[in-house]
Amino acid sequence: MASEKHFGHIPPFPDDVPVISMNTISLAGLRLGDGNAAQRMLAACQELGFFSLSLRGDSLGEAMMEDIDQLFDVGKDIMNLPQHVKQQYLHDIPRSFLGFKPLGHAKTETEEPDRFEWFNLGQDGLMGTAPLQPLPPLVHGHLALFTSFLKHGQTLLTAICSALEAQLSLPEGILMSSQTPTKPSGTVIRLIKALASPQAEDLRTSMIHHTDFGTITLLANVIGGLQILTPGGSATDEGAWRWVRPQPGCLIVNLGDAMVQWTGGILRSNVHRIRYPPGQQRYVDRYSLAILFRPEREASMRDKTGGDAAGDVEDGNLTAWEWEVKKAMALARGDAVVQSKGGKPRKGLD
């Protein structure tokens, strides 16, 4: 997350809401080869699909926290650009996921319009793998900062994947071999703005429940609103949802469907959603910053463990880009996504 300074000017997260129990893993420990930290991370990736990653006490983590602090301020300015400016840089799914997603363009579970916007900045353009996407001048002025954040995130991704490979007895580098930063991919930096919820009719879902379809997501936010479905719970049961309490100096890390696919269901990609912020936090807009890592576009989606996950044969024959477009179009249609008991994503409601 951002440092304490961004938490000091917001209403406090309330103590009377149900909060998910989440492992906190030390980035310093992972990077130093701490076996206990790696084992606890693997357990979190198998049981919940989410963990909190402490950035403190590590040079990479401290550098990333500095980037996050600056990008929270920059991100607010970008997400509050005039609508006529945003209209010039809209995304065009499925041809392109880059640019602005307007407010209300997707549906929630109740068929009501969503309550969030996002802006996607592609890794390919920042790394020179593809031409830079059309960008507002405000974004152009901060490309060095976005690039720094992305590169720090890439190093962090490598540390997480290396630890998972060792814990799962996979060949060294096999998870990163399909996520090379200099090869075309759908990896993006995402800025998100979810609207404040001052009225009773605003107290509903802002973003429909879903699983991420990439490999790993790194999320920073200071306002609550993210909720995780408890393993084995039904998405239609409000009692099965738990809030995530943002913590200064920590990132929220969650696994995406690609990691489930590549490990034959050994790892978990859990269902989550953006709800209205709890307590007095509902009265302020919620800004988030994330990197959504995705496989190289031409990467195979076959199981990397040497197995053949039942039911995933069709998806295993797709390239990563084909697979992502298939999932994105389902999400755009408002198809709900839930977890089977084995951890593999499927459509429909329990």
Side-chain angles (χ1 to χ4, degrees), residues 190-230:
R190 176 172 292 174
L191 305 174
I192 306 173
K193 177 184 178 182
L195 296 183
S197 303
Q199 307 301 323
E201 58 266 28
D202 300 329
L203 301 181
R204 59 181 180 85
T205 301
S206 291
M207 182 189 293
I208 192 172
H209 63 276
H210 64 284
T211 56
D212 290 357
F213 49 77
T215 55
I216 287 174
T217 298
L218 308 178
L219 173 67
N221 65 278
V222 298
I223 297 288
L226 175 64
Q227 288 188 331
I228 298 175
L229 186 66
T230 54

Short mmCIF file of all heavy atoms in Angstrom, two decimals, residues 190-230:
data_model
loop_
_atom_site.label_atom_id
_atom_site.label_comp_id
_atom_site.label_asym_id
_atom_site.label_seq_id
_atom_site.Cartn_x
_atom_site.Cartn_y
_atom_site.Cartn_z
N ARG A 190 -3.21 -0.35 -13.79
CA ARG A 190 -4.61 0.10 -13.78
C ARG A 190 -4.85 1.08 -12.64
O ARG A 190 -4.50 0.82 -11.49
CB ARG A 190 -5.55 -1.09 -13.63
CG ARG A 190 -7.04 -0.72 -13.51
CD ARG A 190 -7.93 -1.95 -13.56
NE ARG A 190 -7.88 -2.55 -14.90
CZ ARG A 190 -8.47 -3.71 -15.20
NH1 ARG A 190 -9.11 -4.40 -14.27
NH2 ARG A 190 -8.39 -4.19 -16.43
N LEU A 191 -5.45 2.21 -12.99
CA LEU A 191 -5.98 3.16 -12.01
C LEU A 191 -7.48 2.97 -11.94
O LEU A 191 -8.14 2.85 -12.99
CB LEU A 191 -5.67 4.60 -12.44
CG LEU A 191 -4.21 4.95 -12.72
CD1 LEU A 191 -4.11 6.37 -13.28
CD2 LEU A 191 -3.38 4.83 -11.45
N ILE A 192 -8.05 2.92 -10.74
CA ILE A 192 -9.48 2.70 -10.57
C ILE A 192 -10.05 3.80 -9.67
O ILE A 192 -9.46 4.16 -8.65
CB ILE A 192 -9.78 1.33 -9.94
CG1 ILE A 192 -9.13 0.20 -10.74
CG2 ILE A 192 -11.29 1.09 -9.84
CD1 ILE A 192 -9.24 -1.16 -10.08
N LYS A 193 -11.20 4.30 -10.06
CA LYS A 193 -11.95 5.21 -9.21
C LYS A 193 -13.35 4.64 -9.03
O LYS A 193 -14.10 4.49 -10.00
CB LYS A 193 -12.05 6.61 -9.83
CG LYS A 193 -12.89 7.58 -9.00
CD LYS A 193 -13.05 8.93 -9.71
CE LYS A 193 -13.94 9.86 -8.89
NZ LYS A 193 -14.14 11.18 -9.59
N ALA A 194 -13.72 4.31 -7.79
CA ALA A 194 -15.08 3.89 -7.45
C ALA A 194 -15.74 5.04 -6.71
O ALA A 194 -15.15 5.63 -5.79
CB ALA A 194 -15.05 2.63 -6.60
N LEU A 195 -16.96 5.36 -7.09
CA LEU A 195 -17.63 6.53 -6.55
C LEU A 195 -17.98 6.38 -5.08
O LEU A 195 -18.25 5.27 -4.59
CB LEU A 195 -18.90 6.82 -7.34
CG LEU A 195 -18.74 7.18 -8.80
CD1 LEU A 195 -20.10 7.50 -9.41
CD2 LEU A 195 -17.78 8.35 -8.99
N ALA A 196 -17.99 7.51 -4.38
CA ALA A 196 -18.49 7.54 -3.01
C ALA A 196 -19.95 7.08 -2.99
O ALA A 196 -20.64 7.10 -4.02
CB ALA A 196 -18.37 8.95 -2.45
N SER A 197 -20.42 6.66 -1.82
CA SER A 197 -21.76 6.09 -1.70
C SER A 197 -22.55 6.81 -0.61
O SER A 197 -22.91 6.21 0.42
CB SER A 197 -21.65 4.60 -1.39
OG SER A 197 -20.90 3.93 -2.37
N PRO A 198 -22.87 8.07 -0.80
CA PRO A 198 -23.53 8.83 0.26
C PRO A 198 -25.01 8.50 0.44
O PRO A 198 -25.56 8.67 1.53
CB PRO A 198 -23.35 10.29 -0.18
CG PRO A 198 -23.24 10.20 -1.67
CD PRO A 198 -22.52 8.92 -1.96
N GLN A 199 -25.67 8.02 -0.61
CA GLN A 199 -27.10 7.76 -0.56
C GLN A 199 -27.38 6.27 -0.34
O GLN A 199 -26.57 5.42 -0.68
CB GLN A 199 -27.77 8.22 -1.86
CG GLN A 199 -27.48 9.66 -2.24
CD GLN A 199 -27.94 10.64 -1.17
OE1 GLN A 199 -28.98 10.45 -0.53
NE2 GLN A 199 -27.17 11.70 -0.96
N ALA A 200 -28.56 5.99 0.21
CA ALA A 200 -28.93 4.60 0.48
C ALA A 200 -28.90 3.75 -0.78
O ALA A 200 -28.48 2.59 -0.75
CB ALA A 200 -30.32 4.55 1.14
N GLU A 201 -29.33 4.32 -1.90
CA GLU A 201 -29.35 3.55 -3.16
C GLU A 201 -27.95 3.27 -3.70
O GLU A 201 -27.77 2.45 -4.61
CB GLU A 201 -30.17 4.28 -4.23
CG GLU A 201 -29.70 5.68 -4.57
CD GLU A 201 -30.41 6.76 -3.77
OE1 GLU A 201 -30.84 6.47 -2.63
OE2 GLU A 201 -30.52 7.89 -4.29
N ASP A 202 -26.93 3.93 -3.14
CA ASP A 202 -25.55 3.69 -3.57
C ASP A 202 -24.92 2.50 -2.85
O ASP A 202 -23.83 2.06 -3.23
CB ASP A 202 -24.68 4.92 -3.28
CG ASP A 202 -25.15 6.17 -4.01
OD1 ASP A 202 -25.71 6.02 -5.11
OD2 ASP A 202 -24.98 7.27 -3.46
N LEU A 203 -25.58 1.99 -1.84
CA LEU A 203 -24.98 0.93 -1.01
C LEU A 203 -25.18 -0.43 -1.68
O LEU A 203 -25.99 -1.27 -1.26
CB LEU A 203 -25.59 0.94 0.39
CG LEU A 203 -25.41 2.27 1.15
CD1 LEU A 203 -26.03 2.17 2.53
CD2 LEU A 203 -23.94 2.66 1.23
N ARG A 204 -24.42 -0.62 -2.76
CA ARG A 204 -24.49 -1.86 -3.53
C ARG A 204 -23.12 -2.13 -4.14
O ARG A 204 -22.16 -1.41 -3.89
CB ARG A 204 -25.56 -1.75 -4.62
CG ARG A 204 -25.33 -0.59 -5.61
CD ARG A 204 -26.46 -0.55 -6.63
NE ARG A 204 -26.31 0.52 -7.61
CZ ARG A 204 -25.57 0.42 -8.72
NH1 ARG A 204 -24.91 -0.70 -8.96
NH2 ARG A 204 -25.49 1.43 -9.56
N THR A 205 -23.06 -3.15 -4.94
CA THR A 205 -21.80 -3.52 -5.58
C THR A 205 -21.39 -2.46 -6.59
O THR A 205 -22.21 -1.99 -7.39
CB THR A 205 -21.95 -4.88 -6.29
OG1 THR A 205 -22.31 -5.86 -5.31
CG2 THR A 205 -20.65 -5.29 -6.96
N SER A 206 -20.11 -2.10 -6.59
CA SER A 206 -19.57 -1.19 -7.60
C SER A 206 -19.02 -1.96 -8.79
O SER A 206 -19.19 -1.56 -9.94
CB SER A 206 -18.47 -0.32 -7.00
OG SER A 206 -18.99 0.59 -6.07
N MET A 207 -18.31 -3.08 -8.52
CA MET A 207 -17.77 -3.95 -9.57
C MET A 207 -18.23 -5.37 -9.30
O MET A 207 -18.07 -5.89 -8.19
CB MET A 207 -16.24 -3.89 -9.62
CG MET A 207 -15.63 -4.75 -10.75
SD MET A 207 -13.81 -4.91 -10.64
CE MET A 207 -13.31 -3.21 -10.98
N ILE A 208 -18.78 -6.02 -10.31
CA ILE A 208 -19.34 -7.36 -10.17
C ILE A 208 -18.30 -8.36 -9.66
O ILE A 208 -17.09 -8.20 -9.90
CB ILE A 208 -19.90 -7.84 -11.53
CG1 ILE A 208 -20.76 -9.09 -11.38
CG2 ILE A 208 -18.78 -8.07 -12.53
CD1 ILE A 208 -21.50 -9.48 -12.64
N HIS A 209 -18.78 -9.38 -8.96
CA HIS A 209 -17.85 -10.39 -8.45
C HIS A 209 -17.23 -11.15 -9.61
O HIS A 209 -17.88 -11.44 -10.62
CB HIS A 209 -18.53 -11.33 -7.46
CG HIS A 209 -19.66 -12.15 -8.02
ND1 HIS A 209 -20.94 -11.68 -8.15
CD2 HIS A 209 -19.67 -13.42 -8.47
CE1 HIS A 209 -21.71 -12.62 -8.65
NE2 HIS A 209 -20.97 -13.69 -8.87
N HIS A 210 -15.94 -11.46 -9.45
CA HIS A 210 -15.18 -12.04 -10.55
C HIS A 210 -13.88 -12.63 -10.01
O HIS A 210 -13.52 -12.42 -8.85
CB HIS A 210 -14.84 -10.97 -11.59
CG HIS A 210 -13.94 -9.88 -11.06
ND1 HIS A 210 -14.38 -8.88 -10.24
CD2 HIS A 210 -12.60 -9.67 -11.21
CE1 HIS A 210 -13.38 -8.08 -9.91
NE2 HIS A 210 -12.28 -8.55 -10.48
N THR A 211 -13.18 -13.37 -10.84
CA THR A 211 -11.79 -13.72 -10.59
C THR A 211 -10.95 -12.99 -11.62
O THR A 211 -11.39 -12.75 -12.74
CB THR A 211 -11.56 -15.24 -10.72
OG1 THR A 211 -11.98 -15.68 -12.02
CG2 THR A 211 -12.31 -16.01 -9.65
N ASP A 212 -9.73 -12.60 -11.25
CA ASP A 212 -8.82 -11.99 -12.22
C ASP A 212 -8.36 -13.07 -13.20
O ASP A 212 -8.12 -14.21 -12.80
CB ASP A 212 -7.61 -11.38 -11.52
CG ASP A 212 -7.99 -10.14 -10.72
OD1 ASP A 212 -9.17 -9.73 -10.76
OD2 ASP A 212 -7.11 -9.59 -10.06
N PHE A 213 -8.21 -12.72 -14.48
CA PHE A 213 -7.84 -13.75 -15.44
C PHE A 213 -6.37 -13.69 -15.85
O PHE A 213 -5.97 -14.36 -16.79
CB PHE A 213 -8.75 -13.75 -16.66
CG PHE A 213 -8.97 -12.41 -17.32
CD1 PHE A 213 -8.00 -11.85 -18.13
CD2 PHE A 213 -10.18 -11.75 -17.15
CE1 PHE A 213 -8.22 -10.63 -18.76
CE2 PHE A 213 -10.40 -10.54 -17.77
CZ PHE A 213 -9.44 -9.97 -18.58
N GLY A 214 -5.56 -12.94 -15.12
CA GLY A 214 -4.13 -12.92 -15.40
C GLY A 214 -3.37 -13.91 -14.54
O GLY A 214 -3.89 -14.96 -14.16
N THR A 215 -2.14 -13.57 -14.21
CA THR A 215 -1.32 -14.45 -13.38
C THR A 215 -1.34 -13.98 -11.93
O THR A 215 -1.78 -14.70 -11.04
CB THR A 215 0.13 -14.51 -13.90
OG1 THR A 215 0.67 -13.18 -14.01
CG2 THR A 215 0.18 -15.19 -15.26
N ILE A 216 -0.86 -12.76 -11.69
CA ILE A 216 -0.82 -12.20 -10.34
C ILE A 216 -1.19 -10.72 -10.42
O ILE A 216 -0.78 -10.01 -11.34
CB ILE A 216 0.57 -12.37 -9.71
CG1 ILE A 216 0.80 -13.84 -9.34
CG2 ILE A 216 0.75 -11.49 -8.48
CD1 ILE A 216 2.19 -14.15 -8.84
N THR A 217 -2.00 -10.27 -9.46
CA THR A 217 -2.38 -8.86 -9.36
C THR A 217 -1.76 -8.27 -8.10
O THR A 217 -1.85 -8.87 -7.02
CB THR A 217 -3.91 -8.69 -9.31
OG1 THR A 217 -4.47 -9.18 -10.53
CG2 THR A 217 -4.29 -7.23 -9.13
N LEU A 218 -1.15 -7.11 -8.23
CA LEU A 218 -0.62 -6.35 -7.10
C LEU A 218 -1.52 -5.12 -6.93
O LEU A 218 -1.64 -4.32 -7.85
CB LEU A 218 0.82 -5.89 -7.37
CG LEU A 218 1.82 -6.97 -7.80
CD1 LEU A 218 3.18 -6.33 -8.07
CD2 LEU A 218 1.94 -8.06 -6.74
N LEU A 219 -2.14 -4.98 -5.77
CA LEU A 219 -3.13 -3.94 -5.56
C LEU A 219 -2.76 -3.06 -4.38
O LEU A 219 -2.41 -3.56 -3.30
CB LEU A 219 -4.51 -4.57 -5.30
CG LEU A 219 -5.64 -3.62 -4.89
CD1 LEU A 219 -6.00 -2.67 -6.04
CD2 LEU A 219 -6.86 -4.40 -4.43
N ALA A 220 -2.89 -1.75 -4.58
CA ALA A 220 -2.70 -0.78 -3.51
C ALA A 220 -3.94 0.09 -3.41
O ALA A 220 -4.40 0.64 -4.41
CB ALA A 220 -1.47 0.09 -3.78
N ASN A 221 -4.51 0.19 -2.22
CA ASN A 221 -5.59 1.13 -1.97
C ASN A 221 -5.62 1.48 -0.49
O ASN A 221 -5.08 0.75 0.34
CB ASN A 221 -6.94 0.60 -2.45
CG ASN A 221 -7.41 -0.63 -1.70
OD1 ASN A 221 -6.99 -1.74 -2.00
ND2 ASN A 221 -8.27 -0.43 -0.72
N VAL A 222 -6.24 2.59 -0.16
CA VAL A 222 -6.29 3.03 1.24
C VAL A 222 -7.71 3.03 1.79
O VAL A 222 -7.91 2.98 3.00
CB VAL A 222 -5.66 4.43 1.42
CG1 VAL A 222 -4.20 4.40 1.02
CG2 VAL A 222 -6.41 5.47 0.61
N ILE A 223 -8.69 3.08 0.91
CA ILE A 223 -10.10 3.04 1.31
C ILE A 223 -10.60 1.61 1.16
O ILE A 223 -10.31 0.93 0.19
CB ILE A 223 -10.94 3.99 0.44
CG1 ILE A 223 -10.51 5.44 0.63
CG2 ILE A 223 -12.44 3.83 0.73
CD1 ILE A 223 -10.90 6.03 1.96
N GLY A 224 -11.41 1.14 2.11
CA GLY A 224 -12.00 -0.18 2.01
C GLY A 224 -13.00 -0.27 0.87
O GLY A 224 -13.36 0.73 0.25
N GLY A 225 -13.48 -1.47 0.64
CA GLY A 225 -14.43 -1.69 -0.45
C GLY A 225 -14.23 -3.04 -1.10
O GLY A 225 -15.19 -3.66 -1.58
N LEU A 226 -12.99 -3.51 -1.12
CA LEU A 226 -12.71 -4.84 -1.66
C LEU A 226 -13.28 -5.89 -0.70
O LEU A 226 -13.07 -5.82 0.51
CB LEU A 226 -11.20 -5.04 -1.81
CG LEU A 226 -10.74 -6.45 -2.26
CD1 LEU A 226 -11.26 -6.79 -3.65
CD2 LEU A 226 -9.22 -6.55 -2.22
N GLN A 227 -13.99 -6.84 -1.26
CA GLN A 227 -14.50 -7.96 -0.50
C GLN A 227 -14.10 -9.27 -1.17
O GLN A 227 -14.05 -9.36 -2.40
CB GLN A 227 -16.04 -7.92 -0.38
CG GLN A 227 -16.56 -6.84 0.53
CD GLN A 227 -18.06 -6.96 0.75
OE1 GLN A 227 -18.80 -7.44 -0.09
NE2 GLN A 227 -18.52 -6.52 1.91
N ILE A 228 -13.81 -10.29 -0.35
CA ILE A 228 -13.42 -11.61 -0.83
C ILE A 228 -14.48 -12.60 -0.40
O ILE A 228 -14.96 -12.56 0.74
CB ILE A 228 -12.04 -12.02 -0.26
CG1 ILE A 228 -10.95 -11.05 -0.73
CG2 ILE A 228 -11.68 -13.44 -0.67
CD1 ILE A 228 -9.59 -11.32 -0.11
N LEU A 229 -14.82 -13.51 -1.30
CA LEU A 229 -15.76 -14.58 -0.97
C LEU A 229 -15.02 -15.65 -0.17
O LEU A 229 -13.97 -16.13 -0.59
CB LEU A 229 -16.34 -15.18 -2.25
CG LEU A 229 -17.45 -16.21 -2.09
CD1 LEU A 229 -18.71 -15.57 -1.50
CD2 LEU A 229 -17.76 -16.87 -3.43
N THR A 230 -15.56 -16.02 0.97
CA THR A 230 -14.92 -17.06 1.78
C THR A 230 -14.92 -18.38 1.02
O THR A 230 -15.91 -18.71 0.35
CB THR A 230 -15.64 -17.24 3.12
OG1 THR A 230 -17.03 -17.47 2.88
CG2 THR A 230 -15.50 -16.00 3.98
#
